[in-house]
């Protein structure tokens, strides 16, 4: 940590900062510049809180030098991780496409969706059972029953299953119904209690970016899961709120390269959630693969115009098949298989 | 709802939109303009999903006309609500100041804080027991034990108590320890399951704005609580993420007037959370009162430079007293009592 | 335009709105719903100002139905435009790569850059002569002399030349030195006077997106140029300010598909300006091509570590060559030539 | 400046950084920590470009320690400045209210507005002559003729005059017509050429914040003016673009306290531009005064419902008078006169 003293800091102010650094078990290193004195705190700075220094007299700023995340960082784990979801490896040379309907609506619908997902050549089936929208009067999902229908359809189609978890009380159902992976949706990325519980499970987790989360906040959420012992984490970029009113969220395509530099975790992209517009999915899906993503999270519905949730963002089975066919040669150019 | 047809929409497209409107039990009203045909859906539009229309051929856009929130809206409840927390009325002529430490640390600390709150003339005591930060390695709060210490200190000081709830499993403790009001912190504003549970309780709720929530999203969160039966809701503006890197969040001072026009619920302001800088609190607290807020949520710590959490934003007891004294004549000018 | 009356609007309020619509030469169409009366204004709504209606008693909102831009819109000009810059066609099947240094520094540097641009197989040479930074004490560019050096180096390398224009007083120099295209930088996208002047020229314009501009604001800036008679406009997406502090701007990759739907103008992408990090350029450049961009604006410097401006974002000649080689097979997959 | 070396930096990398620091005439100070080596560059860091260091091998980050602005900073000029506009002092104990119509429309309108401004007890008259909107088909202002009408109306009412300047070619007219102060509108805050020209004038400048400008960018724009020799600068906070779609811009009320700490320049607030809603002006104007602003920029129009520009944000003469009367006791509480 670097403590920048203000230009009018007194010798006593500097002495107090030094004393606090030493009390925390670190050593100080003082640089007296022409306009400011800088004090470096040498040792494990993660035990220091910059805010405490910034409350001290004569201190202008306290800056962290080292990243706050360790377990998910590439610095101490340089090789890229591969996360295995019931035999499907995410993060290796093969791309992984997770597809399914925004919501499980009934047996026929999820079965038709599973069939479409399999026919298009995708690897995993997702389906929402516990929906979360701002509107208390809308469809809330089928709950545990929806989870069971998803599990049955996935087994029938021979695909691993994924569904969003939003409430710690539902974990039991995910385990009992043997759903293969949990997803944490954007509005729960910063739900610390939920992250802690998921950290104790032996289940892969797809952690979606919060609607306004910075990359560091997102990596700290992953770190919270990893700190509990669960290292099977896949990051899913799905856009962040922005100044552009034309779409629900702005897909942060730069996050792929930035995350690949910072973390060893696999990174996939969910294009349709970002824009809320199914017609934009092909352009964004191709961009994600070209940018280096390890896979995609796509929405498909047997009949989007009748979907009970997120009708605006689901593709038809035919659109999904066409999209995957379009992505294959692109994947090959990127030296990835699909 | 208004459905805007694209300029090349066919008669059959219009007929299908009309059929869907009628199927939902509403009536259509068609305006043929020079460039577009507009179709109004007349009836209770809350049963219609714009997304479903936007997936239909020939449809360019579907726009809601009526607000999505009802119970918390001023339209059907024109008089301002007053929320009572153990005898303290929030939303009337008297301003309400809720003060306390970001975290309950030990008996002596919370007792000293309670004493400072009372001495300064504030009305309620808050204290954090279940902390939520991005850092899994930091202080997480004392949990139920912290809640008990808060309750004891509040009782001792004769002040109603408030604490943040973040996990449905902790509700029991809030009820058993008879904490007088629940607060929902920014990162849980959109936690639908938590909002639903709180909607079933007979406890006042202070609902803080999410870190990137729009006013409508925030009001829909309040609507979710109200839809469960709990109408004792106070909104707390605490800033939203912005393009300005100089402070943690930008206090949306315009939200006070905008909310007062839209909702009958009381509105208070938390200046220090927004900026993360205690020295900015007096300027923002005064602005909030002048803008028409019903009260403030302030942080005070017996010794901020040793605070285990959010040291940067807590005021000292002396600063709190001075601030309240400064606000009194301002409140009088605004025709409010303090 | 649709005028939404408030629920308590009086008959006289409605009559006044109707009178104003008729006075503007349009016709009204009234829909009386259960909660609101809607009034459609039928005719050329571009002559109406929604703000004037919103100031009238009983009016809740006035909504435009038709887009404000016409000349640059795809609605009245469905085929994609091709913009020709001294024989180089932008917007057709062939991709266009514009490369050069952030600033012209001296004869040797711009000659070396031009040579690198040509050797890598790029089509146009850019170089900054009039720099604009927030820092009044930094390098401001060589001005007209830099423009002359750019022109000479471009002629020598047999490449068309492009440079940013920021002040109407410099237009003369661009014309006299026969620079082949003007670029309008982000901070001047909304400089109305400059746009108007450029609209009167017979020079192609590369219009970069403002640092916080919405797509509609950007298209209106293009409309301002087109309204003056100059229709040779290329849009250049270069990122917008966002909540992510990790890079200077967030590249809006969705803008490519969104713009292609709205406008007939060519769309290129400048990856390095967005991130301010040269190492992220290959990932973003590939994403832009995959998403459907018509070309790229890239920065190259003979020796980035000694660049007098924007050192952080310039690639070396070797990096540029490698990048173009990497993009060739990707372009082929996208059915584009490079 | 602090250069943070990456954990795998070689001794040769450190040596090169040191060599570059020395070549710039500064001295190095090396701190070897457990995870990183930090190198402090001691001397005038304004001559160093962090980007150049970040391009060097083994360098992770380069951080400025000292602010980039000097002339406008409070560090070297601790006393608050007072800017005099034809006898009106801005920045002292007396508050300054600048009021007028968004656009000068004709002689009668600007005369009526001037009369309203004077009757309400405001100190300066503003009026727009060169309008700037995204819409090329709308009213663009009366130009030089509008400026002349403003000057005449101001003289008639005995008020100093202020108008927005957006094009260097109009400076001559401002001087010839003896307009008392120039305002730089939000979209020109970063127009470097314009700032440089204004820096050479002997006229007070009201510099409005850009629509997405950070405080530092804004202060650097002021520094650009000051660097030219013109130190008569008043900052005008008018909101920045935000995630909240309910109003045009979010008024950054925290900017008042933050700027007062950083700069000696006076700070005023323009509430109506931020929100684009005249009915919100009283709440925000009161908040600005309570937060410590030195004055306000208000819009008034003899008949807002017929205004040719910005009808949504102008108050009526009666509303202006009422507002000023409301603010008087508030100003007194804040120990300011009005």
């Amino acid at each position: 940590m670097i403590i920048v003293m203000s230009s009018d800091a007194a010798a006593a102010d500097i002495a107090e900062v030094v004393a606090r650094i030493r009390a925390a078990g670190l050593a100080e290193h003082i640089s007296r510049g022409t306009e400011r004195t800088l004090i470096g705190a040498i040792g494990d700075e993660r035990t220091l809180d910059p805010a405490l220094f910034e409350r001290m007299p004569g201190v202008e700023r306290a800056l962290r030098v080292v990243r706050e995340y360790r377990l998910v960082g590439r610095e101490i784990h340089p090789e890229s991780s591969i996360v295995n979801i019931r035999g499907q490896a995410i993060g290796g040379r093969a791309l992984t496409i997770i597809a399914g309907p925004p919501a499980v609506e009934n047996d026929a619908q999820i079965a038709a969706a599973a069939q479409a997902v399999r026919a298009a050549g995708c690897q995993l089936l997702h389906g929402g059972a516990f929906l979360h929208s701002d509107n208390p009067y809308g469809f809330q999902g089928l709950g545990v029953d929806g989870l069971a229908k998803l599990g049955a359809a996935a087994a029938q189609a021979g695909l691993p299953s994924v569904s969003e978890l939003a409430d710690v009380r539902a974990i039991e159902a995910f385990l009992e119904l043997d759903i293969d992976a949990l997803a944490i949706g954007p509005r729960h990325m910063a739900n610390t209690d939920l992250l802690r519980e998921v950290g104790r499970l032996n289940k892969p987790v797809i952690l979606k970016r919060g609607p306004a989360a910075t990359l560091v906040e997102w990596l700290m959420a992953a770190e919270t899961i990893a700190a509990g012992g669960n290292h099977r984490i896949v990051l899913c970029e799905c856009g962040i709120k922005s100044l552009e009113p034309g779409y629900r969220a702005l897909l942060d395509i730069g996050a792929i390269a930035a995350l690949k530099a910072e973390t060893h975790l696999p990174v996939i992209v969910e294009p349709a959630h970002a824009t809320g517009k199914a017609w934009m999915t092909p352009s964004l899906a191709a961009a994600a693969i070209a940018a280096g993503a390890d896979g995609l999270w796509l929405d498909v519905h047997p009949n989007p115009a009748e979907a009970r949730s997120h009708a605006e963002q689901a593709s038809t089975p035919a659109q999904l098949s066409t999209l995957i066919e379009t992505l294959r040669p692109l994947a090959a150019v990127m030296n990835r298989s699909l």
Side-chain angles (χ1 to χ4, degrees), chain A:
Chain A
M1 186 168 294
I2 299 163
I3 294 97
V4 180
M5 303 302 293
S6 58
S7 55
D8 57 355
D13 297 338
I14 294 174
E16 285 208 40
V17 167
V18 168
R20 177 158 240 165
I21 291 172
R22 291 183 185 172
L26 287 85
E28 81 283 359
H29 195 120
I30 303 181
S31 305
R32 290 178 206 278
T34 46
E35 301 194 32
R36 294 281 189 287
T37 293
L38 309 182
I39 307 176
I42 296 175
D44 182 6
E45 73 174 44
R46 288 183 189 82
T47 63
L48 299 180
D49 180 355
L52 292 181
F53 286 97
E54 292 187 345
R55 291 307 296 256
M56 298 177 73
V59 173
E60 190 171 293
R61 276 189 297 164
L63 305 165
R64 284 192 188 282
V65 171
V66 179
R67 291 165 181 80
E68 291 176 82
Y69 43 88
R70 289 179 69 84
L71 300 175
V72 303
R74 203 178 267 283
E75 197 168 10
I76 62 164
H77 188 308
E79 335 74 77
S80 294
S81 290
I82 292 181
V83 172
N84 200 294
I85 303 182
R86 189 181 279 188
Q88 281 296 335
I90 307 188
R93 189 173 167 277
L95 296 176
T96 302
I97 314 292
I98 306 173
V104 177
E105 297 174 9
N106 55 58
D107 289 319
Q109 176 254 10
I110 186 66
Q115 172 54 25
V117 168
R118 188 181 172 77
C122 304
Q123 286 75 34
L124 285 91
L125 175 71
H126 75 76
F130 302 95
L131 304 190
H132 290 82
S133 86
D134 294 332
N135 184 357
Y137 307 119
F139 178 48
Q140 311 285 339
L142 301 182
V144 174
D145 191 37
L147 215 52
K149 289 182 199 303
L150 170 71
Q156 177 73 19
L159 295 167
S161 57
V162 189
S163 195
E164 279 195 15
L165 169 74
D167 186 329
V168 291
R169 295 170 300 183
I171 288 177
E172 203 62 27
F174 276 77
L175 297 179
E176 277 174 16
L177 291 164
D178 203 18
I179 301 301
D180 296 304
L182 309 166
I184 306 282
R187 69 174 69 202
H188 287 283
M189 188 210 83
N191 184 336
T192 312
D193 290 298
L194 187 65
L195 298 176
R196 278 186 207 133
E197 290 296 334
V198 166
R200 294 188 189 107
L201 301 179
N202 181 21
K203 279 275 183 207
V205 185
I206 295 166
L207 181 66
K208 299 187 179 182
R209 188 178 187 176
T214 65
L215 294 178
V216 170
E217 289 167 345
W218 191 11
L219 288 169
M220 289 307 285
E223 183 84 5
T224 300
I225 296 174
N230 186 351
H231 291 219
R232 300 167 69 190
I233 306 167
V234 176
L235 299 172
C236 180
E237 161 66 30
C238 49
I240 50 174
K241 288 194 172 200
S242 81
L243 300 179
E244 172 52 50
Y247 9 88
R248 190 193 301 157
L250 199 66
L251 189 75
D252 180 5
I253 195 76
I256 301 168
L259 287 171
K260 289 285 177 187
E262 284 298 308
T263 178
H264 53 87
L265 300 176
V267 179
I268 65 172
V269 169
E270 181 179 4
H273 177 274
T275 61
K277 292 180 176 169
W279 64 267
M280 289 180 69
T281 292
S283 173
L284 293 179
I289 300 304
D294 295 307
L296 299 169
W297 174 294
L298 300 174
D299 283 338
V300 63
H301 190 284
N303 185 1
E306 300 292 341
R308 296 188 66 189
S309 171
H310 289 86
E312 70 282 8
Q313 71 186 48
S315 301
T316 64
Q319 287 167 336
L320 180 67
S321 280
T322 302
L323 173 58
I324 303 298
E325 287 315 308
T326 311
L327 295 177
R328 283 192 209 286
L330 178 62
V333 163
M334 298 297 298
N335 201 25
R336 307 294 288 255
S337 61
L338 175 61

